[in-house]
Amino acid sequence: MLNPKVGVFYVAVLPQFIPASAPHLPMGVLLSCVHVAEGLLWSAVLVGFAHTVRGWLLRPAARRLLDRITGLVVVGFGVRLAAGD
């Protein structure tokens, strides 16, 4: 309710997929429910994947690797920003 971007998405995108002969409110609610269901499914997949790799991510070697990759990305953004102008 506090995020207007979701409302703007529903108002801007979903009407394109409502057939002209269909009642607009029930079809809009149905499409919104489909969007919510897909979001829940995707979130469940992400949680399942995180649970699967949890043991590996807790190892010190994995944490060092992720820290190095993150540091490299941050330094890369800094170099790109410095060389931008």
Side-chain angles (χ1 to χ4, degrees):
M1 297 300 278
L2 298 176
N3 189 353
K5 292 180 279 190
V6 175
V8 169
F9 171 79
Y10 287 143
V11 170
V13 175
L14 290 184
Q16 300 174 43
F17 299 102
I18 298 176
S21 61
H24 294 269
L25 182 61
M27 186 60 81
V29 170
L30 176 67
L31 288 175
S32 297
C33 290
V34 168
H35 180 246
V36 168
E38 287 176 345
L40 288 173
L41 179 65
W42 177 245
S43 295
V45 167
L46 289 178
V47 167
F49 179 72
H51 182 70
T52 302
V53 298
R54 181 178 183 266
W56 181 81
L57 289 173
L58 291 175
R59 292 185 5 210
R63 293 184 70 149
R64 277 194 307 274
L65 176 67
L66 290 175
D67 285 345
R68 289 177 181 162
I69 292 171
T70 303
L72 185 64
V73 168
V74 170
V75 168
F77 282 142
V79 168
R80 182 175 176 195
L81 183 63
D85 276 76

